[in-house]
Amino acid sequence: MAATGLNNAVTDIGGLIVGHYTDMDAVCGVTVIICPEGAVAGVDVRGSAPGTRETDLLDPVNLVERAQAVVLSGGSVFGLAAADGVVRWLADQGYGFPVDKGQVVPIVPAAVLYDLGRGPDFIPSVSDEWGLRACRNAKGGTFSMGGIGAGTGAMAGGIKGGLGTVSLILDFDITVAAVVAVNSLGSVINPASGRPWEIGLEVDGEFGDQGKRAVKLPQPSQNNPTVNTTIGLVATDAVLTKTQAKKMAQMAHDGMARAIRPSHTLFDGDTVFCLATGKRELPEDRGIFASPQAQAFNELGHAAANCMSRAIISGVLSARSLAGMIAFCDLEDR
């Protein structure tokens, strides 16, 4: 029987802490996932309008294997500035890629979503200070979902989007988790049923009363459709290579495609990172495959996809109406 981790959050991966900075006035925010010891990192970009930083570095052919943090931010291209504050905070703590004279260079990949114009100013006042504040707020344990951090100004298929997170413990005692900011062109809700497309993946009643509802969706907006992008991260305590981390990020996109329809469009910058903390070895199965861990990795990637779907649903169901964006919880029942 499927079981979540203690917090049902990405913080169930030992060594990861999460911090947010939320500016409700600007209707924008930042979420940072920090691994002070560093984690093997990968990334896969499927949308055609991405806003990213340090993704080339995560290519398996390139030198650095470990990242100390991943930043998810609102603010479109302006939101990339938040990563500068995260770099500064990590450097002050002595976390990063070691270089000359005892110094470190923090590795901080980042991705942004387009939420411009949802606050009183078209461009929110996002800056390196937002990233710095998110780091200062970072901790383990549970955290709020919906309109927080990178999910503050998010909108998903015509209703309020948000930040969601879940986890799952596999049969071989390895944990997989996801955190995602849902700001998609496509809808998380099946218009025929009024329920999330992937509601059947719910674990132990995690979606609560909202997960039992069927709603009437609002009429499609005639607004500019280019204000989208879903960005997220999957994580595990398994020992992975950099190539495997990239593959896990790729497989997690399957969960995005199932939970958001359509996804990976020309108007989305859909990006998924992966962090592997390397605390537990994957079990081996000496079958016909060259890699004795192939079957276990397949299960890991499948779990990552399911966690991504569940986190997307959690982010939307947890959101509250804001700045003219109506949330699922305020939609009329069917």
Side-chain angles (χ1 to χ4, degrees):
M1 182 176 179
T4 70
L6 178 64
N7 304 303
N8 198 17
V10 72
T11 49
D12 287 324
I13 307 299
L16 297 188
I17 57 176
V18 175
H20 313 278
Y21 177 72
T22 303
D23 190 322
M24 296 302 291
D25 292 331
V27 195
C28 190
V30 174
T31 295
V32 58
I33 303 93
I34 302 173
C35 185
E37 297 178 8
V40 173
V43 68
D44 191 58
V45 180
R46 294 288 174 96
S48 295
T52 57
R53 163 181 169 145
E54 298 277 43
T55 50
D56 282 352
L57 184 65
L58 301 188
D59 190 302
V61 304
N62 291 331
L63 173 66
V64 177
E65 289 193 345
R66 292 179 173 268
Q68 284 71 49
V70 171
V71 175
L72 309 176
S73 181
S76 187
V77 66
F78 305 100
L80 291 172
D84 293 338
V86 179
V87 169
R88 179 152 51 96
W89 185 86
L90 287 165
D92 288 345
Q93 309 299 315
Y95 303 136
F97 183 79
V99 290
D100 292 341
K101 299 180 180 179
Q103 300 298 308
V104 296
V105 176
I107 306 301
V108 183
V112 294
L113 56 80
Y114 191 113
D115 56 3
L116 303 183
R118 292 176 185 164
D121 298 321
F122 184 77
I123 300 173
S125 54
V126 58
S127 68
D128 59 342
E129 185 66 22
W130 285 25
L132 193 60
R133 292 185 184 185
C135 290
R136 290 171 178 163
N137 292 332
K139 61 182 181 63
T142 59
F143 55 88
S144 298
M145 294 189 289
I148 186 173
T152 305
M155 190 169 183
I159 64 174
K160 182 72 181 73
L163 188 84
T165 189
V166 300
S167 65
L168 186 71
I169 301 174
L170 302 183
D171 290 340
F172 41 82
D173 203 28
I174 282 175
T175 302
V176 179
V179 58
V180 60
V182 190
N183 185 63
S184 54
L185 172 67
S187 178
V188 178
I189 310 303
N190 179 349
S193 68
R195 305 188 74 205
W197 292 104
E198 290 294 284
I199 193 67
L201 292 176
E202 183 178 23
V203 177
D204 197 24
E206 63 191 342
F207 302 141
D209 290 340
Q210 291 300 318
K212 299 178 175 65
R213 297 179 63 220
V215 300
K216 296 179 181 179
L217 289 172
Q219 290 298 313
S221 171
Q222 300 303 310
N223 293 338
N224 186 345
T226 62
V227 290
N228 309 116
T229 293
T230 297
I231 51 178
L233 174 144
V234 290
T236 181
D237 52 6
V239 176
L240 298 184
T241 65
K242 200 175 176 186
T243 300
Q244 288 173 320
K246 179 176 178 66
K247 185 62 181 177
M248 185 169 162
Q250 284 184 348
M251 295 178 77
H253 271 288
D254 294 342
M256 186 184 296
R258 294 197 303 260
I260 301 171
R261 307 186 192 185
S263 59
H264 308 142
T265 74
L266 290 174
F267 301 135
D268 290 285
D270 299 337
T271 300
V272 176
F273 295 96
C274 175
L275 291 178
T277 59
K279 305 296 184 183
R280 296 179 180 273
E281 292 280 354
L282 287 172
E284 295 189 358
D285 179 10
R286 299 194 177 279
I288 63 173
F289 300 105
S291 170
Q293 296 178 331
Q295 183 56 45
F297 183 81
N298 284 346
E299 293 182 37
L300 193 73
H302 177 57
N306 285 348
C307 282
M308 180 58 66
S309 290
R310 290 167 49 218
I312 286 168
I313 295 169
S314 292
V316 171
L317 297 191
S318 300
R320 296 293 179 265
S321 298
L322 177 68
M325 296 177 282
I326 187 169
F328 181 92
C329 64
D330 291 326
L331 294 177
E332 184 181 351
D333 288 334
R334 291 172 71 95

